Each structure stands twice: as structure tokens, then as C-alpha cells.
């Protein structure tokens, strides 16, 4: 478990945070108040505003058609971040909330984990681990059903069947398993992206995307979502193998206990991850200490 967390802290990540009730200009001003640097309006099809931080990294606020009014919405796109950047990210989220950002049901948070140094087997492990626990993870995230029905669909079972048949050892083989055919240069809006776990960007930007999370202005929730994805990726990288057999069904009676056990397996134990565990357990029914509920008299 120590090795898993050590690996998680060495990975890179990025996140996309969707907001309404805030213009892109106001969003970048909120970001600038935390990271400093300079603000640029770069326009284009996404009406992009950019903060160039003193370290040269770009924080962006762009338009997103799914957010309604173009003038009062923003998708905040972080640069490539590392574990030590988490406090800065949380400070940015707090400033966006102070600036008026809101997260109605149309908004979401997407997490990207850098996998350029993962081999095909390790990326496949990520998909297998996520699929095995998918029902529990969607419930823990509180993923809205309207999103599961559209932009955050469950993992394609045909992909899982192809994955287990091929047992890919190269990215080319993994690509065929994911798409069902060879697609080394997938389009940005290829429909396979609209799943809770999206591998399209493995061949576009070198990341695995997790799209399961609802929009939030809570800095603790934003962090917990990212830490969960980093820990799954770290387990996938370190594991010799992972299985998709007997996908875990969701059980309301034991959900909170089951999720706590999974988090322990990921190494998210101790005081350091107390707040992360709290956010990842709070949507679930059941009891963290008792799989089948607290016995009478206890």
C-alpha cells in the first residue's frame, strides 16, 4: 500500500472543472489571484482566456456548449499538475467559488491521469480495476443518472470482452480492443469518449480520463476525486495483473463498508487521507465498520 501511494504521488494529472454563473474572464481573474503571472485573451472557437503562470504553465477558461449561456459559463482547464500542486488547485477552486461559480446538474469534473510511461498492460489494468468496481464507484461519486445515460456511460462490455480475448501487450492491440478496430488517431469527439472511463486520450494526449464526477465548487471534493483516480492508476501500474471476472454488484447494505475496504486496498489510509475518505464515503448507505450493518446490542 505504501508503494501504491508513493507511485500515486509521482504521477501527473490534470482536471477540467465546469461552472456556470461566471464568465471566462472572471474565472481567469480568480485563477490569476492564486497563481499570478499574466492574463491573455486568445479567443478562437472556444473563446479561450488563459493565465500564464510564472512557471510557464497555462491555466485556461474555455466555453463549453453543454453549460448553457456562453457568456456566463466557463470550463476551467488546468495545466499538467503534480501532487505538490494540490494545495494550489484547491486554492483556485475556492477563489472560483468566491467569484460566483456555481455547479448545477449540467456541470461535471473530469480527471486526466498521465500514462505516457505506462505500458499497454498497465493501462488495461486501470480499465479492469475501474470496471470491476464501477457500480460502487459511480454510487460513491454520486454520479447523476442523466450523466450516466449520456456523457458518462458505463464501461462498454464489448470492450471488456475484446480486452480479455486479446490480452493486449502493445498499445496498438489495446487500441483495437478499445475501439473495436484500429484507430490510432481518434477524433477529439469520437463517441467512445463518453464513458465513465475514457481511453481515447491515450492516443491523443497520453492520458486516461475519468468522467464520473459531478461538478463541484468544494475544494475537498475536487481533491478527493483526483486522489481516487491517482490511487487507482498507481495500483494499475504496480499490479502484475487485474481481473474483470465477476464484476462487483452494488449492495446498498454493505456499500459504505465495501468502499472503505477498496480505499484501504488503494492505500488511502491514515490521517493524511481522512478527508478524502470522508468525501468518497458520504454518498453511500451502510456502515463503514460492519458489512451487514451494526449487530443488535453493539
Amino acid at each position: 500500500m505504501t508503494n501504491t501511494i508513493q507511485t500515486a504521488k509521482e504521477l501527473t494529472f490534470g482536471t477540467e472543472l465546469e461552472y456556470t454563473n461566471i464568465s471566462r474572464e472572471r474565472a481567469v481573474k480568480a485563477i490569476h489571484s492564486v497563481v499570478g503571472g499574466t492574463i491573455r485573451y486568445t479567443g478562437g472557437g472556444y473563446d479561450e482566456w488563459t493565465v500564464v503562470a510564472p512557471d510557464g504553465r497555462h491555466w485556461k477558461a474555455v466555453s463549453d456548449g453543454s453549460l448553457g449561456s456562453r457568456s456566463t459559463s466557463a470550463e476551467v482547464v488546468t495545466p499538467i499538475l503534480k501532487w505538490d500542486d494540490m494545495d494550489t488547485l484547491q486554492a483556485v477552486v475556492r477563489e472560483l467559488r468566491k467569484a460566483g461559480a456555481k455547479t448545477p446538474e449540467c456541470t461535471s469534473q473530469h480527471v486526466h491521469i498521465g500514462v505516457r510511461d505506462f505500458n499497454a498492460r498497465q493501462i488495461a489494468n486501470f480499465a479492469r480495476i475501474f470496471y470491476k468496481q464501477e457500480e460502487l464507484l459511480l454510487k460513491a461519486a454520486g454520479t447523476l443518472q442523466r450523466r450516466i445515460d449520456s456523457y458518462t456511460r458505463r464501461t462498454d462490455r464489448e470492450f471488456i470482452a475484446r480486452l480479455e480475448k486479446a490480452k493486449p501487450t502493445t498499445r496498438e492491440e489495446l487500441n483495437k480492443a478499445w475501439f473495436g478496430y484500429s484507430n490510432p488517431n481518434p477524433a477529439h469527439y469520437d463517441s467512445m469518449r463518453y464513458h465513465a472511463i475514457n481511453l481515447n486520450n491515450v492516443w491523443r494526449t497520453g492520458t486516461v480520463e475519468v468522467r464520473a464526477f459531478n461538478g463541484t465548487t468544494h475544494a475537498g471534493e475536487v481533491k478527493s476525486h483526483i486522489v481516487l483516480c491517482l490511487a487507482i492508476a498507481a495500483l494499475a501500474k504496480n499490479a502484475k495483473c487485474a481481473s474483470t471476472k465477476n464484476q462487483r454488484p452494488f449492495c446498498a447494505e454493505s456499500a459504505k463498508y465495501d468502499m472503505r475496504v477498496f480505499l484501504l486496498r488503494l492505500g488511502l489510509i491514515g490521517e493524511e487521507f481522512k478527508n478524502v475518505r470522508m468525501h468518497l464515503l458520504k454518498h453511500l448507505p451502510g456502515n463503514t465498520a460492519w458489512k451487514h450493518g451494526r449487530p443488535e446490542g453493539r
Side-chain angles (χ1 to χ4, degrees):
M1 290 186 292
T2 301
N3 289 339
T4 297
I5 294 305
Q6 181 180 342
T7 299
K9 291 183 177 182
E10 295 169 353
L11 299 175
T12 59
F13 68 91
T15 190
E16 299 162 0
L17 302 161
E18 297 175 349
Y19 297 114
T20 63
N21 199 52
I22 187 170
S23 68
R24 289 172 289 288
E25 181 178 7
R26 190 145 47 104
V28 293
K29 287 180 178 178
I31 297 168
H32 179 264
S33 71
V34 176
V35 305
T38 59
I39 296 175
R40 298 177 182 171
Y41 174 64
T42 46
Y46 292 103
D47 191 44
E48 181 180 306
W49 286 77
T50 302
V51 177
V52 182
D55 61 12
R57 290 186 292 184
H58 290 205
W59 297 70
K60 300 177 181 180
V62 299
S63 65
D64 186 315
S66 68
L67 300 178
S69 174
R70 188 179 172 92
S71 62
T72 56
S73 64
E75 179 181 307
V76 172
V77 182
T78 73
I80 296 173
L81 301 175
K82 296 183 178 180
W83 190 274
D84 289 343
D85 295 313
M86 200 74 76
D87 288 345
T88 299
L89 173 60
Q90 289 189 281
V92 165
V93 173
R94 294 185 183 105
E95 287 303 313
L96 288 163
R97 183 179 67 243
K98 290 178 184 177
K102 302 292 183 184
T103 53
E105 290 190 356
C106 64
T107 63
S108 62
Q109 178 190 1
H110 300 165
V111 178
H112 295 257
I113 304 299
V115 294
R116 288 190 185 279
D117 65 338
F118 282 47
N119 60 38
R121 178 184 58 80
Q122 291 166 329
I123 297 171
N125 280 348
F126 194 123
R128 290 183 176 109
I129 293 167
F130 191 93
Y131 171 76
K132 187 94 167 187
Q133 302 288 349
E134 187 165 45
E135 296 306 315
L136 183 61
L137 290 171
L138 291 174
K139 292 291 186 181
T143 313
L144 296 168
Q145 188 61 47
R146 61 178 287 181
R147 296 190 56 238
I148 294 174
D149 292 338
S150 54
Y151 299 117
T152 312
R153 300 195 299 269
R154 289 177 172 85
T155 303
D156 183 356
R157 288 177 180 262
E158 292 183 4
F159 157 63
I160 295 298
R162 292 191 296 266
L163 184 70
E164 296 309 339
K165 181 178 180 179
K167 292 181 171 46
T169 58
T170 68
R171 291 203 176 193
E172 290 74 18
E173 292 171 343
L174 180 64
N175 179 275
K176 291 179 181 178
W178 174 249
F179 290 103
Y181 59 95
S182 179
N183 187 12
N185 298 297
H188 179 62
Y189 290 109
D190 187 290
S191 61
M192 280 297 287
R193 76 197 294 255
Y194 297 116
H195 289 87
I197 180 173
N198 166 30
L199 301 190
N200 285 25
N201 287 337
V202 168
W203 298 278
R204 297 189 66 258
T205 59
T207 67
V208 168
E209 180 185 26
V210 180
R211 302 170 58 89
F213 309 110
N214 301 326
T216 179
T217 57
H218 194 301
E221 291 181 349
V222 168
K223 177 181 178 179
S224 69
H225 298 160
I226 295 168
V227 170
L228 174 64
C229 296
L230 286 170
I232 293 174
L235 179 61
K237 190 173 187 181
N238 292 337
K240 291 183 179 179
C241 61
S243 172
T244 59
K245 292 182 179 179
N246 303 317
Q247 184 187 34
R248 307 293 190 204
F250 177 77
C251 175
E253 181 185 42
S254 64
K256 190 163 286 188
Y257 178 90
D258 295 340
M259 187 64 182
R260 180 180 71 86
V261 171
F262 181 59
L263 295 178
L264 295 181
R265 183 189 174 203
L266 294 176
L268 300 178
I269 61 176
E271 190 66 25
E272 180 180 7
F273 300 107
K274 181 178 180 180
N275 193 255
V276 170
R277 293 194 304 274
M278 183 271 291
H279 286 300
L280 295 175
L281 291 167
K282 66 185 180 182
H283 294 298
L284 296 172
N287 188 298
T288 56
W290 306 94
K291 186 173 181 65
H292 301 293
R294 184 183 295 273
E296 285 189 34
R298 298 297 296 269

